Amino acid sequence: MPEDTLNSTMIVGSNIRPAPTLRVDNIRVAYGNTPIIDALSLDIKSGALTAIIGPNGCGKSTLLKAMARVLPVQSGHVLLNATPIHDMPTREVAKTMALLPQGPVAPEGLRVKELVAQGRFPHRSLIRQWSRDDAEAVARAMAATDIQAFADRPIDALSGGQRQRVWIAMVLAQNTPVLFLDEPTTFLDLKVQVDLMTLLRRVAHEDGRTLVVVMHELNVASAFADQLVMMRGGAVIAQGAVNDVFTQDNLLSVFDLSARVLMDPESGRPVCIPQVSP
């Protein structure tokens, strides 16, 4: 099997709690005195893959970090089952939501299986050390991402696609019903992007988890997302089903992109073809 090809093993039956409701209610997020997001509201579809797209600097990663409680909100709330996440205990949040940031870096010399095992940290305590549940969760995550063959290799000895699979395995091992991923396919070959997004869609559809993914490649987002969120200037311009959001008018207003939008006859998904001047 090629080393950047995923198998179809999934982690169904891993005792993940049902996906909670997730809502962003009129939040404001700022860096210092500079507002990045203001009065933004958003409903995330449970048990589905939501892709957030928009031009560089529009606030996609800021929104993701606010939803994951990495960044504070100056006003408004991020609600998990109607409870503001900033009112929840940190360990409870970590058992409910996992975040894979953009461009994560592993300590030098750390092996694959050691990094994946880090995903079990929220489930451990002084009185609860490594257990059979932890070992099984790590094994399921490594099987789902097809990384068992290089479990003992150092992270820095892997290809870019392999490293991303290891990081995704780590967040899967955390066994949370909500996962946030910030541009997990950036700088990867198209085939590797497709393999990773196929895996993430299976996680949503077969495990019933809620995934929110910041994405850069428009047509890849259209091909794999259940829900699209288009942002510009710190605001949500459009949100909803892919075929409703991925339109010629929205691409022009959000990305300043002149493109034709065609429907793929096999998938029924929209594809954008940039219009190039002769």
Side-chain angles (χ1 to χ4, degrees):
M1 176 181 294
E3 62 178 7
D4 279 328
T5 300
L6 299 178
N7 64 23
S8 60
T9 304
M10 285 308 299
I11 53 178
V12 176
S14 51
N15 297 320
I16 301 166
R17 290 177 290 175
T21 60
L22 180 63
R23 173 171 171 74
V24 178
D25 184 22
N26 201 36
I27 65 168
R28 182 180 192 272
V29 184
Y31 290 111
N33 294 322
T34 304
I36 306 300
I37 290 172
D38 196 13
L40 187 150
S41 294
L42 179 65
D43 284 303
I44 300 297
K45 185 177 180 180
S46 297
L49 193 159
T50 295
I52 302 176
I53 57 177
N56 291 338
C58 72
K60 301 185 299 294
S61 295
T62 298
L63 172 60
L64 197 75
K65 292 174 183 177
M67 286 193 287
R69 212 178 78 161
V70 172
L71 288 177
V73 296
Q74 279 66 48
S75 60
H77 297 286
V78 177
L79 302 168
L80 195 66
N81 282 341
T83 300
I85 61 170
H86 290 85
D87 294 344
M88 297 172 61
T90 298
R91 186 171 291 272
E92 180 63 21
V93 172
K95 290 181 179 180
T96 306
M97 304 188 300
L99 169 67
L100 180 60
Q102 185 177 356
V105 179
E108 187 175 353
L110 194 69
R111 293 180 298 169
V112 166
K113 62 185 179 183
E114 294 171 334
L115 179 60
V116 178
Q118 295 298 311
R120 300 303 298 166
F121 178 78
H123 303 275
R124 299 166 65 186
S125 66
L126 291 176
I127 60 174
R128 186 195 179 282
Q129 295 302 304
W130 191 257
S131 69
R132 177 181 295 181
D133 286 345
D134 295 319
E136 291 177 350
V138 168
R140 283 192 300 267
M142 292 180 67
T145 50
D146 197 21
I147 60 174
Q148 309 99 311
F150 41 91
D152 291 314
R153 292 190 203 173
I155 303 297
D156 51 14
L158 304 180
S159 70
Q162 289 172 335
R163 283 197 298 271
Q164 282 299 88
R165 285 156 54 187
V166 174
W167 284 108
I168 290 172
M170 186 193 74
V171 297
L172 292 180
Q174 197 168 328
N175 259 20
T176 59
V178 179
L179 285 81
F180 300 108
L181 301 99
D182 194 353
E183 299 202 19
T185 61
T186 300
F187 304 125
L188 299 179
D189 292 340
L190 180 58
K191 176 59 168 64
V192 182
Q193 292 184 47
V194 169
D195 287 341
L196 288 175
M197 292 307 300
T198 299
L199 168 64
L200 295 178
R201 185 169 62 182
R202 288 196 188 117
V203 169
H205 294 178
E206 298 181 21
D207 285 3
R209 303 201 206 190
T210 298
L211 274 68
V212 184
V213 186
V214 169
M215 299 191 67
H216 182 71
E217 294 288 345
L218 298 181
N219 284 330
V220 176
S222 172
F224 288 96
D226 299 301
Q227 180 184 46
L228 277 183
V229 176
M230 280 190 179
M231 292 185 63
R232 178 164 181 156
V236 172
I237 305 302
Q239 60 178 297
V242 173
N243 289 17
D244 295 333
V245 173
F246 202 87
T247 67
Q248 182 172 321
D249 288 344
N250 283 342
L251 291 174
L252 182 60
S253 64
V254 171
F255 294 93
D256 294 323
L257 175 64
S258 295
R260 291 185 298 153
V261 174
L262 308 177
M263 300 303 295
D264 175 55
E266 184 171 332
S267 68
R269 297 280 183 134
V271 178
C272 75
I273 309 295
Q275 294 181 347
V276 180
S277 301

